Amino acid sequence: MTGVNRKLGILLSGRGSNFEAIHRAIAAGTLDAEIAVVISNREAAPGIETARRFGLKTVVMPSQGVPREQFDRELVRVLNDHQVGLVCLAGYMRLLSGYFVQAFPQRIVNIHPSLLPSFPGLDAQHQAFDYGVKFTGCTVHFVDEHLDNGPIILQAVVPVEEGDTYDTLSARILAEEHKIYSKAIGIILSGAYRIEGRRVVSVS
Ligand code: GAR
């Protein structure tokens, strides 16, 4: 598709390994996109330091104590200032307001460390491990007003092995996250899909 806005706005709150994986995919030429800005709602997020080191445009917007919609209005303004076409949540640990979601209709994606709709919310890896499932994984999905909801773009399955600990399982899930997030972004930017109800269907 021509004229697609390939400028990504990355939102993160912590480590930023998914952001780094997206950055690597772009550098390797496997993802045709550009990171226009990396925004953190936490000053101490290691991911924002990494983004600075990479020479990317960074913005820190402390969110603590700021009313959700007021914060999100400012966030939308910053993303628009950078002409962002696709917002990528990469470990962004803050609920988005309806205002934000409506500002970027079907233009916000999130990665979650479980096979949704199982184990939404915080620490999905712990939830899955403690529940005793034999398979878990990760999900890239469009973001709507509800937590870890929205049409699913890609998922990867990770088997839970005998002898797994929370740490070994989390590490294998994370390795899959790093693969499918860039792939899902590539699908969206290709425009070769349509959304039918909750289903994201490929079109050729
Ligand atoms: C990732 O595991 C991501 O799936 C999860 O936070 C971690 C961030 O790691 N996101 C959520 O749980 C969202 N509900 P990272 O900062 O190294 O990318």
Side-chain angles (χ1 to χ4, degrees):
M1 217 156 85
T2 50
V4 167
N5 181 345
R6 297 180 173 278
K7 288 181 191 248
L8 310 180
I10 308 274
L11 265 54
L12 54 77
S13 306
R15 178 178 55 185
S17 72
N18 276 288
F19 145 62
E20 284 188 61
I22 294 166
H23 184 263
R24 266 198 308 277
I26 294 172
T30 52
L31 174 63
D32 181 10
E34 177 196 332
I35 296 176
V37 63
V38 181
I39 304 174
S40 173
N41 65 323
R42 292 193 189 139
E43 175 69 70
I48 206 76
E49 194 44 53
T50 309
R52 285 189 193 118
R53 226 178 39 241
F54 290 165
L56 295 168
K57 187 99 199 22
T58 60
V59 178
V60 174
M61 294 175 52
S63 59
Q64 211 176 11
V66 185
R68 191 172 310 284
E69 190 168 318
Q70 182 186 324
F71 183 81
D72 282 2
R73 280 182 187 274
E74 181 60 12
L75 205 51
V76 168
R77 197 187 60 69
V78 172
L79 290 163
N80 283 334
D81 276 356
H82 291 85
Q83 289 152 9
V84 163
L86 183 67
V87 180
C88 303
L89 310 185
Y92 181 66
M93 298 315 216
R94 190 173 157 92
L95 275 178
L96 297 176
S97 62
Y99 173 83
F100 189 98
V101 173
Q102 281 149 32
F104 291 94
Q106 290 170 0
R107 290 277 129 190
I108 311 169
V109 285
N110 181 43
I111 182 128
H112 183 76
S114 75
L115 292 174
L116 289 172
S118 289
F119 312 122
L122 287 178
D123 214 346
Q125 303 95 327
H126 245 136
Q127 292 186 54
F129 188 73
D130 290 348
Y131 196 94
V133 293
K134 301 298 182 193
F135 294 91
T136 183
C138 49
T139 303
V140 183
H141 63 95
F142 286 107
V143 171
D144 63 17
E145 276 95 338
H146 306 287
L147 177 69
D148 299 325
N149 197 52
I152 290 170
I153 304 152
L154 282 180
Q155 291 187 304
V157 176
V158 175
V160 182
E161 312 284 3
E162 291 288 329
D164 252 338
T165 62
Y166 163 76
D167 288 333
T168 58
L169 180 61
S170 299
R172 288 209 314 289
I173 295 171
L174 191 64
E176 293 303 316
E177 293 186 41
H178 294 166
K179 291 182 203 157
I180 68 167
Y181 207 175
S182 304
K183 224 168 159 181
I185 293 168
I187 291 171
I188 297 161
L189 296 182
S190 77
Y193 69 93
R194 64 171 181 270
I195 302 176
E196 293 175 356
R198 283 201 50 93
R199 302 182 64 236
V200 179
V201 182
S202 310
V203 294
S204 42

